[in-house]
Amino acid sequence: MDRPSSPLPRRRFLHLTGAALGLAATSGCATAGRTRSTGAGLLSAGAATDRTWTPERFDPWIELDRAAWTQNVREAARLASGRPILAVVKNNAYGLGDRAVGPLLAGMPEVGGIASVRVEEALAMREEGVTKPIVVMAEGSEDEIEEMARHDILPSVWLDDAPARLRSVSRRLGRPVPVQLFIDTGMNREGMPYTRARRWIEELVQSEYVDVNGTYTMFIHDLDFNREQLARFEELLAWARGKNLPLGTLHASPSFELFNLPEAHYDMVRPGNALFGNHLSGGEGAGEMADLRPVFRMNARVVRVERLEPGDGAGFRHTFTADRATWVALLPVGRTDGYPSEANGTCEVLINGRLYPVAGGVNSAHTILDIGPEKTVEVGDVATLIGPDHPSVLPHTVAERTGRGFLGIIQFMNPRLPRRVV
Ligand SMILES: *Cc1c(COP(=O)(O)O)cnc(C)c1O
């Protein structure tokens, strides 16, 4: 059965924007930061901004605090002595939502480009109006490399057969394929091992079907070994200079090395965590070196307030039992939204400037709070489960109290929750 077709098929839309954006990106007149408002139906659930958020909404939403992101980006740029930032927005922006975070970061003058690890993420950010360079820090199939090239997205290569695959993609495109070379200097995760990179680099740089736009490596966050990695990378770079092989923009430093290894800042720095307010990612002392702010709130509205008499219970198997007359409030937010079940009995929630303990369990989609003997909370009040507004609800506090770690909190924010930039 035929379904009515959308006015502009998705692929065609991507091709059109890719072509248009390619021009903008290469001429340097980036106009990122706008969110595409046309093309109804082209954005998936969990999309950029206020699309599914209404002021009356009870269900949870994520707020992205523009001022805090700006602060963190400026701090990163300061640590990098003004070098541009290649902002890492991978894994759905570490859980916070790439369709919202990508354009937000790309709109800042200190951000020179965006890096992701999945092709889909890069395409989603292009769809959302990001016009600055995007690097995908992963190898792709020929089809994926072609698709990236058509949307002015830079794939990375590190496999031995990259020259052959790029030749084939270049034939399809009728032009050289812009790529970034990922060199493994001893992490043994991704990258072409530095020990056998020379002939491979030579072939790629000298070929007519490749345009080497940049070259990079990844550090292991151990300062002694980092210096060894740096020496290996430097030796390769010196060899390439000696051979007159241009390697494009050089970058190497994620957050830890942004803080701790200034000699590796090269042309751009490549932090993710620091921009997301995770000062722990910079190691000990990072908190004194930079003033990084929490960048998001997890909010919901109180949807029920009821009084319990002494001895009444609340939740499955009466997780909570009232030892005095008290009020309990229900929040329509739970584990599947990304609020950790370990928050029960350990965490508090901020409502109208006051803290209330999580007491009746964190279920799949519900959380019960103990309000106390006074009815200080009303249906419709906004509750902040995680956010910058009180030390007890900071992402790091929730992470510590639940034993999850910072990334263990933000990575599990449900992609479907609406994101609002405030
Ligand atoms: C994740 C990642 C980064 C960013 O690391 P952070 O610790 O979040 O700053 C940089 N480069 C590569 C290759 C990565 O995978």
Side-chain angles (χ1 to χ4, degrees), residues 224-250:
D224 288 335
F225 193 69
N226 282 352
R227 296 211 168 84
E228 174 63 28
Q229 289 187 281
L230 189 59
R232 293 170 178 178
F233 196 49
E234 279 293 320
E235 201 185 323
L236 196 63
L237 298 179
W239 164 82
R241 272 195 303 274
K243 286 231 156 199
N244 220 358
L245 299 171
L247 297 181
T249 305
L250 304 175

PDB file of all heavy atoms in Angstrom, residues 224-250:
ATOM      1  N   ASP A 224      53.275  10.209  31.628  1.00  0.00           N
ATOM      2  CA  ASP A 224      54.560   9.631  31.201  1.00  0.00           C
ATOM      3  C   ASP A 224      54.440   9.027  29.809  1.00  0.00           C
ATOM      4  O   ASP A 224      55.242   9.302  28.921  1.00  0.00           O
ATOM      5  CB  ASP A 224      55.024   8.560  32.196  1.00  0.00           C
ATOM      6  CG  ASP A 224      55.479   9.191  33.508  1.00  0.00           C
ATOM      7  OD1 ASP A 224      55.875  10.383  33.461  1.00  0.00           O
ATOM      8  OD2 ASP A 224      55.406   8.517  34.543  1.00  0.00           O
ATOM      9  N   PHE A 225      53.408   8.221  29.633  1.00  0.00           N
ATOM     10  CA  PHE A 225      53.258   7.592  28.312  1.00  0.00           C
ATOM     11  C   PHE A 225      52.837   8.620  27.257  1.00  0.00           C
ATOM     12  O   PHE A 225      53.197   8.494  26.084  1.00  0.00           O
ATOM     13  CB  PHE A 225      52.279   6.418  28.362  1.00  0.00           C
ATOM     14  CG  PHE A 225      52.340   5.583  27.116  1.00  0.00           C
ATOM     15  CD1 PHE A 225      53.456   4.813  26.835  1.00  0.00           C
ATOM     16  CD2 PHE A 225      51.303   5.609  26.186  1.00  0.00           C
ATOM     17  CE1 PHE A 225      53.537   4.071  25.663  1.00  0.00           C
ATOM     18  CE2 PHE A 225      51.376   4.878  25.006  1.00  0.00           C
ATOM     19  CZ  PHE A 225      52.503   4.106  24.746  1.00  0.00           C
ATOM     20  N   ASN A 226      52.081   9.647  27.672  1.00  0.00           N
ATOM     21  CA  ASN A 226      51.707  10.702  26.726  1.00  0.00           C
ATOM     22  C   ASN A 226      52.946  11.304  26.064  1.00  0.00           C
ATOM     23  O   ASN A 226      52.937  11.611  24.876  1.00  0.00           O
ATOM     24  CB  ASN A 226      50.976  11.847  27.446  1.00  0.00           C
ATOM     25  CG  ASN A 226      49.526  11.511  27.752  1.00  0.00           C
ATOM     26  OD1 ASN A 226      49.007  10.502  27.312  1.00  0.00           O
ATOM     27  ND2 ASN A 226      48.892  12.356  28.518  1.00  0.00           N
ATOM     28  N   ARG A 227      54.018  11.494  26.884  1.00  0.00           N
ATOM     29  CA  ARG A 227      55.239  12.114  26.326  1.00  0.00           C
ATOM     30  C   ARG A 227      55.868  11.192  25.294  1.00  0.00           C
ATOM     31  O   ARG A 227      56.377  11.648  24.275  1.00  0.00           O
ATOM     32  CB  ARG A 227      56.204  12.458  27.460  1.00  0.00           C
ATOM     33  CG  ARG A 227      55.597  13.503  28.388  1.00  0.00           C
ATOM     34  CD  ARG A 227      56.602  14.446  29.043  1.00  0.00           C
ATOM     35  NE  ARG A 227      55.869  15.544  29.652  1.00  0.00           N
ATOM     36  CZ  ARG A 227      55.315  15.490  30.876  1.00  0.00           C
ATOM     37  NH1 ARG A 227      55.450  14.414  31.618  1.00  0.00           N
ATOM     38  NH2 ARG A 227      54.609  16.510  31.340  1.00  0.00           N
ATOM     39  N   GLU A 228      55.791   9.904  25.555  1.00  0.00           N
ATOM     40  CA  GLU A 228      56.281   8.932  24.576  1.00  0.00           C
ATOM     41  C   GLU A 228      55.423   9.019  23.299  1.00  0.00           C
ATOM     42  O   GLU A 228      55.944   9.035  22.186  1.00  0.00           O
ATOM     43  CB  GLU A 228      56.226   7.523  25.192  1.00  0.00           C
ATOM     44  CG  GLU A 228      56.564   6.381  24.248  1.00  0.00           C
ATOM     45  CD  GLU A 228      57.993   6.440  23.725  1.00  0.00           C
ATOM     46  OE1 GLU A 228      58.860   6.983  24.434  1.00  0.00           O
ATOM     47  OE2 GLU A 228      58.224   5.959  22.588  1.00  0.00           O
ATOM     48  N   GLN A 229      54.122   9.097  23.482  1.00  0.00           N
ATOM     49  CA  GLN A 229      53.225   9.210  22.316  1.00  0.00           C
ATOM     50  C   GLN A 229      53.530  10.464  21.511  1.00  0.00           C
ATOM     51  O   GLN A 229      53.556  10.440  20.276  1.00  0.00           O
ATOM     52  CB  GLN A 229      51.757   9.263  22.784  1.00  0.00           C
ATOM     53  CG  GLN A 229      51.233   7.954  23.332  1.00  0.00           C
ATOM     54  CD  GLN A 229      49.745   8.059  23.608  1.00  0.00           C
ATOM     55  OE1 GLN A 229      49.337   8.611  24.632  1.00  0.00           O
ATOM     56  NE2 GLN A 229      48.940   7.552  22.713  1.00  0.00           N
ATOM     57  N   LEU A 230      53.750  11.553  22.261  1.00  0.00           N
ATOM     58  CA  LEU A 230      54.053  12.822  21.606  1.00  0.00           C
ATOM     59  C   LEU A 230      55.339  12.711  20.789  1.00  0.00           C
ATOM     60  O   LEU A 230      55.403  13.173  19.645  1.00  0.00           O
ATOM     61  CB  LEU A 230      54.173  13.907  22.685  1.00  0.00           C
ATOM     62  CG  LEU A 230      54.280  15.347  22.210  1.00  0.00           C
ATOM     63  CD1 LEU A 230      53.068  15.733  21.377  1.00  0.00           C
ATOM     64  CD2 LEU A 230      54.399  16.286  23.417  1.00  0.00           C
ATOM     65  N   ALA A 231      56.358  12.065  21.363  1.00  0.00           N
ATOM     66  CA  ALA A 231      57.629  11.909  20.658  1.00  0.00           C
ATOM     67  C   ALA A 231      57.428  11.092  19.374  1.00  0.00           C
ATOM     68  O   ALA A 231      57.985  11.413  18.321  1.00  0.00           O
ATOM     69  CB  ALA A 231      58.649  11.239  21.573  1.00  0.00           C
ATOM     70  N   ARG A 232      56.608  10.054  19.464  1.00  0.00           N
ATOM     71  CA  ARG A 232      56.345   9.225  18.273  1.00  0.00           C
ATOM     72  C   ARG A 232      55.625  10.034  17.189  1.00  0.00           C
ATOM     73  O   ARG A 232      55.954   9.943  16.003  1.00  0.00           O
ATOM     74  CB  ARG A 232      55.472   8.024  18.667  1.00  0.00           C
ATOM     75  CG  ARG A 232      56.191   7.039  19.575  1.00  0.00           C
ATOM     76  CD  ARG A 232      55.232   6.002  20.128  1.00  0.00           C
ATOM     77  NE  ARG A 232      55.943   5.042  20.970  1.00  0.00           N
ATOM     78  CZ  ARG A 232      55.376   4.039  21.616  1.00  0.00           C
ATOM     79  NH1 ARG A 232      54.050   3.858  21.524  1.00  0.00           N
ATOM     80  NH2 ARG A 232      56.076   3.210  22.339  1.00  0.00           N
ATOM     81  N   PHE A 233      54.643  10.831  17.616  1.00  0.00           N
ATOM     82  CA  PHE A 233      53.879  11.649  16.673  1.00  0.00           C
ATOM     83  C   PHE A 233      54.808  12.690  16.043  1.00  0.00           C
ATOM     84  O   PHE A 233      54.808  12.883  14.825  1.00  0.00           O
ATOM     85  CB  PHE A 233      52.715  12.309  17.421  1.00  0.00           C
ATOM     86  CG  PHE A 233      51.631  12.864  16.536  1.00  0.00           C
ATOM     87  CD1 PHE A 233      51.067  12.107  15.518  1.00  0.00           C
ATOM     88  CD2 PHE A 233      51.145  14.157  16.744  1.00  0.00           C
ATOM     89  CE1 PHE A 233      50.045  12.617  14.715  1.00  0.00           C
ATOM     90  CE2 PHE A 233      50.124  14.671  15.948  1.00  0.00           C
ATOM     91  CZ  PHE A 233      49.582  13.905  14.935  1.00  0.00           C
ATOM     92  N   GLU A 234      55.618  13.329  16.889  1.00  0.00           N
ATOM     93  CA  GLU A 234      56.555  14.359  16.418  1.00  0.00           C
ATOM     94  C   GLU A 234      57.526  13.787  15.385  1.00  0.00           C
ATOM     95  O   GLU A 234      57.845  14.440  14.399  1.00  0.00           O
ATOM     96  CB  GLU A 234      57.343  14.921  17.604  1.00  0.00           C
ATOM     97  CG  GLU A 234      56.575  15.968  18.403  1.00  0.00           C
ATOM     98  CD  GLU A 234      56.337  17.230  17.597  1.00  0.00           C
ATOM     99  OE1 GLU A 234      57.235  17.655  16.867  1.00  0.00           O
ATOM    100  OE2 GLU A 234      55.210  17.770  17.680  1.00  0.00           O
ATOM    101  N   GLU A 235      57.998  12.579  15.634  1.00  0.00           N
ATOM    102  CA  GLU A 235      58.956  11.973  14.718  1.00  0.00           C
ATOM    103  C   GLU A 235      58.309  11.770  13.343  1.00  0.00           C
ATOM    104  O   GLU A 235      58.912  12.049  12.301  1.00  0.00           O
ATOM    105  CB  GLU A 235      59.429  10.636  15.294  1.00  0.00           C
ATOM    106  CG  GLU A 235      60.758  10.188  14.720  1.00  0.00           C
ATOM    107  CD  GLU A 235      61.150   8.799  15.227  1.00  0.00           C
ATOM    108  OE1 GLU A 235      60.883   8.506  16.414  1.00  0.00           O
ATOM    109  OE2 GLU A 235      61.697   8.029  14.415  1.00  0.00           O
ATOM    110  N   LEU A 236      57.072  11.343  13.379  1.00  0.00           N
ATOM    111  CA  LEU A 236      56.343  11.132  12.122  1.00  0.00           C
ATOM    112  C   LEU A 236      56.116  12.464  11.399  1.00  0.00           C
ATOM    113  O   LEU A 236      56.288  12.568  10.182  1.00  0.00           O
ATOM    114  CB  LEU A 236      55.010  10.455  12.452  1.00  0.00           C
ATOM    115  CG  LEU A 236      54.253   9.806  11.307  1.00  0.00           C
ATOM    116  CD1 LEU A 236      55.053   8.665  10.692  1.00  0.00           C
ATOM    117  CD2 LEU A 236      52.904   9.292  11.794  1.00  0.00           C
ATOM    118  N   LEU A 237      55.752  13.490  12.167  1.00  0.00           N
ATOM    119  CA  LEU A 237      55.507  14.806  11.573  1.00  0.00           C
ATOM    120  C   LEU A 237      56.795  15.368  10.967  1.00  0.00           C
ATOM    121  O   LEU A 237      56.770  15.938   9.870  1.00  0.00           O
ATOM    122  CB  LEU A 237      54.954  15.780  12.621  1.00  0.00           C
ATOM    123  CG  LEU A 237      53.611  15.410  13.262  1.00  0.00           C
ATOM    124  CD1 LEU A 237      53.214  16.452  14.299  1.00  0.00           C
ATOM    125  CD2 LEU A 237      52.514  15.253  12.209  1.00  0.00           C
ATOM    126  N   ALA A 238      57.920  15.170  11.674  1.00  0.00           N
ATOM    127  CA  ALA A 238      59.202  15.676  11.175  1.00  0.00           C
ATOM    128  C   ALA A 238      59.572  14.965   9.866  1.00  0.00           C
ATOM    129  O   ALA A 238      60.033  15.587   8.909  1.00  0.00           O
ATOM    130  CB  ALA A 238      60.290  15.460  12.219  1.00  0.00           C
ATOM    131  N   TRP A 239      59.340  13.669   9.848  1.00  0.00           N
ATOM    132  CA  TRP A 239      59.594  12.903   8.619  1.00  0.00           C
ATOM    133  C   TRP A 239      58.752  13.453   7.454  1.00  0.00           C
ATOM    134  O   TRP A 239      59.248  13.658   6.346  1.00  0.00           O
ATOM    135  CB  TRP A 239      59.276  11.418   8.874  1.00  0.00           C
ATOM    136  CG  TRP A 239      59.138  10.624   7.606  1.00  0.00           C
ATOM    137  CD1 TRP A 239      60.137  10.098   6.857  1.00  0.00           C
ATOM    138  CD2 TRP A 239      57.909  10.311   6.933  1.00  0.00           C
ATOM    139  NE1 TRP A 239      59.619   9.457   5.754  1.00  0.00           N
ATOM    140  CE2 TRP A 239      58.247   9.578   5.776  1.00  0.00           C
ATOM    141  CE3 TRP A 239      56.560  10.574   7.194  1.00  0.00           C
ATOM    142  CZ2 TRP A 239      57.287   9.114   4.880  1.00  0.00           C
ATOM    143  CZ3 TRP A 239      55.600  10.107   6.309  1.00  0.00           C
ATOM    144  CH2 TRP A 239      55.972   9.382   5.165  1.00  0.00           C
ATOM    145  N   ALA A 240      57.453  13.711   7.738  1.00  0.00           N
ATOM    146  CA  ALA A 240      56.564  14.210   6.680  1.00  0.00           C
ATOM    147  C   ALA A 240      57.010  15.586   6.201  1.00  0.00           C
ATOM    148  O   ALA A 240      56.995  15.870   5.000  1.00  0.00           O
ATOM    149  CB  ALA A 240      55.122  14.259   7.183  1.00  0.00           C
ATOM    150  N   ARG A 241      57.418  16.438   7.146  1.00  0.00           N
ATOM    151  CA  ARG A 241      57.920  17.765   6.747  1.00  0.00           C
ATOM    152  C   ARG A 241      59.147  17.605   5.858  1.00  0.00           C
ATOM    153  O   ARG A 241      59.253  18.264   4.824  1.00  0.00           O
ATOM    154  CB  ARG A 241      58.276  18.585   7.990  1.00  0.00           C
ATOM    155  CG  ARG A 241      57.093  19.394   8.550  1.00  0.00           C
ATOM    156  CD  ARG A 241      57.576  20.461   9.550  1.00  0.00           C
ATOM    157  NE  ARG A 241      58.335  19.885  10.660  1.00  0.00           N
ATOM    158  CZ  ARG A 241      57.763  19.404  11.765  1.00  0.00           C
ATOM    159  NH1 ARG A 241      56.451  19.430  11.913  1.00  0.00           N
ATOM    160  NH2 ARG A 241      58.511  18.894  12.729  1.00  0.00           N
ATOM    161  N   GLY A 242      60.042  16.708   6.262  1.00  0.00           N
ATOM    162  CA  GLY A 242      61.263  16.479   5.490  1.00  0.00           C
ATOM    163  C   GLY A 242      60.957  16.014   4.076  1.00  0.00           C
ATOM    164  O   GLY A 242      61.688  16.322   3.136  1.00  0.00           O
ATOM    165  N   LYS A 243      59.871  15.288   3.937  1.00  0.00           N
ATOM    166  CA  LYS A 243      59.496  14.759   2.618  1.00  0.00           C
ATOM    167  C   LYS A 243      58.562  15.701   1.873  1.00  0.00           C
ATOM    168  O   LYS A 243      58.052  15.372   0.797  1.00  0.00           O
ATOM    169  CB  LYS A 243      58.784  13.424   2.801  1.00  0.00           C
ATOM    170  CG  LYS A 243      59.711  12.302   3.160  1.00  0.00           C
ATOM    171  CD  LYS A 243      59.439  11.160   2.208  1.00  0.00           C
ATOM    172  CE  LYS A 243      60.619  10.256   2.070  1.00  0.00           C
ATOM    173  NZ  LYS A 243      60.544   9.451   0.871  1.00  0.00           N
ATOM    174  N   ASN A 244      58.267  16.842   2.517  1.00  0.00           N
ATOM    175  CA  ASN A 244      57.339  17.799   1.922  1.00  0.00           C
ATOM    176  C   ASN A 244      55.948  17.203   1.689  1.00  0.00           C
ATOM    177  O   ASN A 244      55.344  17.387   0.628  1.00  0.00           O
ATOM    178  CB  ASN A 244      57.918  18.328   0.606  1.00  0.00           C
ATOM    179  CG  ASN A 244      57.645  19.808   0.462  1.00  0.00           C
ATOM    180  OD1 ASN A 244      57.000  20.411   1.339  1.00  0.00           O
ATOM    181  ND2 ASN A 244      58.114  20.386  -0.626  1.00  0.00           N
ATOM    182  N   LEU A 245      55.471  16.482   2.696  1.00  0.00           N
ATOM    183  CA  LEU A 245      54.135  15.876   2.613  1.00  0.00           C
ATOM    184  C   LEU A 245      53.203  16.643   3.554  1.00  0.00           C
ATOM    185  O   LEU A 245      53.277  16.468   4.770  1.00  0.00           O
ATOM    186  CB  LEU A 245      54.186  14.404   3.043  1.00  0.00           C
ATOM    187  CG  LEU A 245      55.066  13.472   2.224  1.00  0.00           C
ATOM    188  CD1 LEU A 245      55.181  12.108   2.906  1.00  0.00           C
ATOM    189  CD2 LEU A 245      54.504  13.314   0.805  1.00  0.00           C
ATOM    190  N   PRO A 246      52.336  17.518   3.038  1.00  0.00           N
ATOM    191  CA  PRO A 246      51.464  18.303   3.923  1.00  0.00           C
ATOM    192  C   PRO A 246      50.391  17.424   4.561  1.00  0.00           C
ATOM    193  O   PRO A 246      49.716  16.655   3.884  1.00  0.00           O
ATOM    194  CB  PRO A 246      50.847  19.350   2.999  1.00  0.00           C
ATOM    195  CG  PRO A 246      51.035  18.839   1.617  1.00  0.00           C
ATOM    196  CD  PRO A 246      52.162  17.845   1.629  1.00  0.00           C
ATOM    197  N   LEU A 247      50.245  17.544   5.886  1.00  0.00           N
ATOM    198  CA  LEU A 247      49.318  16.685   6.627  1.00  0.00           C
ATOM    199  C   LEU A 247      48.079  17.427   7.111  1.00  0.00           C
ATOM    200  O   LEU A 247      47.284  16.881   7.872  1.00  0.00           O
ATOM    201  CB  LEU A 247      50.045  16.039   7.823  1.00  0.00           C
ATOM    202  CG  LEU A 247      51.194  15.101   7.463  1.00  0.00           C
ATOM    203  CD1 LEU A 247      51.809  14.502   8.718  1.00  0.00           C
ATOM    204  CD2 LEU A 247      50.714  13.989   6.515  1.00  0.00           C
ATOM    205  N   GLY A 248      47.935  18.677   6.697  1.00  0.00           N
ATOM    206  CA  GLY A 248      46.730  19.423   7.067  1.00  0.00           C
ATOM    207  C   GLY A 248      46.767  19.860   8.525  1.00  0.00           C
ATOM    208  O   GLY A 248      47.826  19.966   9.147  1.00  0.00           O
ATOM    209  N   THR A 249      45.572  20.111   9.061  1.00  0.00           N
ATOM    210  CA  THR A 249      45.440  20.570  10.445  1.00  0.00           C
ATOM    211  C   THR A 249      45.830  19.448  11.400  1.00  0.00           C
ATOM    212  O   THR A 249      45.401  18.311  11.227  1.00  0.00           O
ATOM    213  CB  THR A 249      43.970  20.953  10.694  1.00  0.00           C
ATOM    214  OG1 THR A 249      43.588  21.910   9.709  1.00  0.00           O
ATOM    215  CG2 THR A 249      43.786  21.546  12.072  1.00  0.00           C
ATOM    216  N   LEU A 250      46.628  19.790  12.421  1.00  0.00           N
ATOM    217  CA  LEU A 250      47.077  18.782  13.386  1.00  0.00           C
ATOM    218  C   LEU A 250      46.328  18.970  14.703  1.00  0.00           C
ATOM    219  O   LEU A 250      46.180  20.091  15.185  1.00  0.00           O
ATOM    220  CB  LEU A 250      48.582  18.919  13.631  1.00  0.00           C
ATOM    221  CG  LEU A 250      49.472  18.845  12.383  1.00  0.00           C
ATOM    222  CD1 LEU A 250      50.929  19.120  12.772  1.00  0.00           C
ATOM    223  CD2 LEU A 250      49.340  17.484  11.693  1.00  0.00           C
TER     224      LEU A 250
END
